[in-house]
Amino acid sequence: MSETPKTFQLPLNQLDAPAHQLHFESILDSVPDAMVVTDESGTILAFSRAAEKLFGYTAADMIGQPVNRLMAGRDRANHGSYIDNYMRTGERQIIGKGRVVIAARADGSLFPIDLKIGEAKIGEHCLFTAFIRDLTEQQRSELRMQEMQSELVHFSRLSAVGTMASALAHELNQPLTAVANYLEASRDLLDSPDPETREILRGALSEAATQAVRAGEIVRKLRSYVSRGEVDTRPVSLRPLLLDAVALTKTSRDRADIPVIITLADPVDKVLADPIQVQQVVINLIRNAMDAMAGRENARIEIRALLPEERGFVEISVCDNGPGLSPEIKETIFKPFATTKAQGMGLGLSICQTIVEAHGGTIRAVPAPLGGTCFQFTLRQDTGK
Ligand code: ADP
């Protein structure tokens, strides 16, 4: 049988000194935030169990030590003058207000904390109690949010490409109409091959060639706009990158229930990549797969990463069990404006190819074991060298 917990029969204000001490110690043991009590010289008088865990010191290590050992930078150097200033002027900088500061663990590592200080006057003396909350996790998730947001900005830029399409169509229309006109005129001129006409013909054909180059230039500019030019690669863990990409494709409700299964072969870990650009590739491939399988029963997408035969690379494949590539587009899917979709721009795969190649990899489409299509691309493996 378990022992009945002991309860104090007396109201708190009637406890004797040893009982007060016991009560205080039980608070130090159980208070969830780290708690540090100091006197007015900044000497530590009490150090809670949570503080031991947070800072990596034992209470025995810290009692009697100056509290600035837990601080970093300017605060560590100036703590003495903060207290002096408060004792002299009574001006509250932090007491009762709370502030985010940087603290130092026993192993020297620094971390952000939310610090709140309470004050107790006992006779002539002051006791300060600091309540400390570790903000490492919060800061990490804020950083993550910021990253996600910048990704979203990039995606909205990508969707701005949609809006750009009409402007682009307009721009391309001009050189392409010119090409068509010059070629038609040339065809008609072929019927009268006198030297003068041949000269005009030559001029028209070279003009058509110039206009065709111009059209190509417009497309090239668009591609570099979307893929943001230079890539800035760094070692990135593949799994979180893929998980985030999948999460970003699940934002529309009709797609949320198509299962996406990620499998990473054991030795696959980090790749050298610009994570946002590579996510853009993965998102594009997933969206295409989802489009291809719209309305199908048992639709599923499998993403796999493995080390291919070619050393120094990681191969990522995005496979679906959709209908496979349409024969009429099979050879041209990576070319700009190749699309079978009524609303499609045919730019997605060409952008994917630009990004993958800028990373030093390759991309291709093959029939999938599941019966649909597999897009496979490679990225350089991070070998830590
Ligand atoms: P868009 O999606 O605007 O058509 P893309 O360049 O991304 O442009 O794709 C080009 C074409 O490739 C698509 O229109 C489609 O015909 C084909 N395609 C791409 N992915 C798949 C897939 N997973 N299954 C079948 N066809 C696909």
Side-chain angles (χ1 to χ4, degrees):
M1 236 180 72
S2 66
E3 217 176 293
T4 328
K6 286 196 184 93
T7 50
F8 289 107
Q9 299 298 318
L10 295 168
L12 279 180
N13 59 6
Q14 291 179 29
L15 294 183
D16 58 12
H20 262 306
Q21 181 64 24
L22 272 178
H23 180 227
F24 181 57
E25 277 166 15
S26 84
I27 292 175
L28 286 178
D29 277 352
S30 53
V31 60
D33 283 350
M35 195 175 126
V36 179
V37 182
T38 68
D39 64 15
E40 60 217 10
S41 73
T43 303
I44 296 178
L45 304 177
F47 200 73
S48 76
R49 180 71 52 89
E52 289 182 323
K53 239 168 95 190
L54 185 60
F55 287 96
Y57 290 110
T58 63
D61 287 336
M62 292 312 287
I63 289 172
Q65 295 293 319
V67 70
N68 68 354
R69 275 184 61 183
L70 306 174
M71 301 172 184
R74 244 181 350 173
D75 291 337
R76 185 174 197 144
N78 298 342
H79 184 251
S81 65
Y82 295 165
I83 302 185
D84 287 349
N85 199 33
Y86 173 64
M87 299 306 285
R88 237 177 334 101
T89 63
E91 218 172 86
R92 295 181 159 200
Q93 296 294 339
I94 183 166
I95 294 169
K97 291 184 188 159
R99 190 186 281 179
V100 174
V101 295
I102 300 296
R105 294 193 188 87
D107 64 8
S109 57
L110 304 182
F111 63 110
I113 57 166
D114 179 36
L115 175 65
K116 287 199 174 66
I117 299 181
E119 179 195 17
K121 284 224 161 66
I122 298 176
E124 290 292 287
H125 296 285
C126 275
L127 287 184
F128 298 106
T129 306
F131 296 91
I132 299 151
R133 220 153 35 84
D134 185 1
L135 294 180
T136 315
E137 212 32 61
Q138 187 180 328
Q139 217 165 58
R140 202 174 286 148
S141 45
E142 271 165 17
L143 210 67
R144 190 75 209 97
M145 281 301 288
Q146 271 169 17
E147 272 174 22
M148 290 290 259
Q149 238 147 25
S150 81
E151 279 163 45
L152 282 176
V153 168
H154 183 49
F155 283 114
S156 61
R157 183 162 133 135
L158 199 59
S159 69
V161 171
T163 325
M164 230 165 86
S166 58
L168 183 76
H170 180 74
E171 268 208 67
L172 280 178
N173 204 26
Q174 232 185 330
L176 291 179
T177 311
V179 170
N181 288 344
Y182 283 123
L183 290 179
E184 264 174 39
S186 305
R187 187 194 52 211
D188 296 343
L189 288 172
L190 279 174
D191 295 336
S192 42
D194 55 90
E196 200 185 328
T197 319
R198 265 215 302 272
E199 208 36 54
I200 301 174
L201 197 58
R202 184 169 292 122
L205 286 177
S206 80
E207 203 47 50
T210 312
Q211 292 300 327
V213 169
R214 210 185 118 201
E217 190 67 17
I218 293 170
V219 172
R220 203 178 53 72
K221 272 202 197 127
L222 176 77
R223 277 168 53 135
S224 68
Y225 167 82
V226 176
S227 69
R228 304 199 304 184
E230 292 290 293
V231 287
D232 184 14
T233 61
R234 56 183 166 89
V236 235
S237 292
L238 200 51
R239 185 180 291 278
L241 184 152
L242 294 175
L243 285 170
D244 286 349
V246 171
L248 284 163
T249 58
K250 298 247 171 185
T251 44
S252 95
R253 206 177 324 149
D254 53 329
R255 294 169 156 187
D257 29 298
I258 298 183
V260 182
I261 296 129
I262 301 179
T263 318
L264 260 67
D266 239 0
V268 174
D269 179 22
K270 288 190 172 164
V271 289
L272 288 173
D274 176 329
I276 294 176
Q277 294 204 13
V278 171
Q279 270 181 3
Q280 195 178 316
V281 172
V282 178
I283 287 170
N284 246 313
L285 298 180
I286 299 176
R287 290 214 169 121
N288 274 347
M290 288 173 166
D291 287 347
M293 295 188 298
R296 288 208 159 208
E297 294 265 312
N298 302 324
R300 66 190 251 135
I301 296 171
E302 286 189 7
I303 303 179
R304 287 174 190 278
L306 47 82
L307 299 185
E309 271 172 26
E310 193 179 357
R311 285 170 68 107
F313 283 88
V314 173
E315 182 184 276
I316 298 138
S317 54
V318 178
C319 302
D320 61 62
N321 57 350
L325 295 174
S326 311
E328 78 268 17
I329 206 172
K330 228 175 190 154
E331 306 301 324
T332 54
I333 44 168
F334 291 106
K335 297 236 158 28
F337 308 113
T339 182
T340 52
K341 299 174 197 169
Q343 304 295 323
M345 276 185 62
L347 281 174
L349 289 175
S350 113
I351 292 165
C352 289
Q353 189 182 40
T354 310
I355 293 175
V356 170
E357 288 177 357
H359 278 75
T362 54
I363 184 166
R364 61 189 182 138
V366 294
L370 300 169
T373 317
C374 259
F375 280 87
Q376 298 175 333
F377 67 97
T378 54
L379 291 174
R380 287 185 197 285
Q381 188 184 10
D382 172 45
T383 51
K385 280 179 209 152

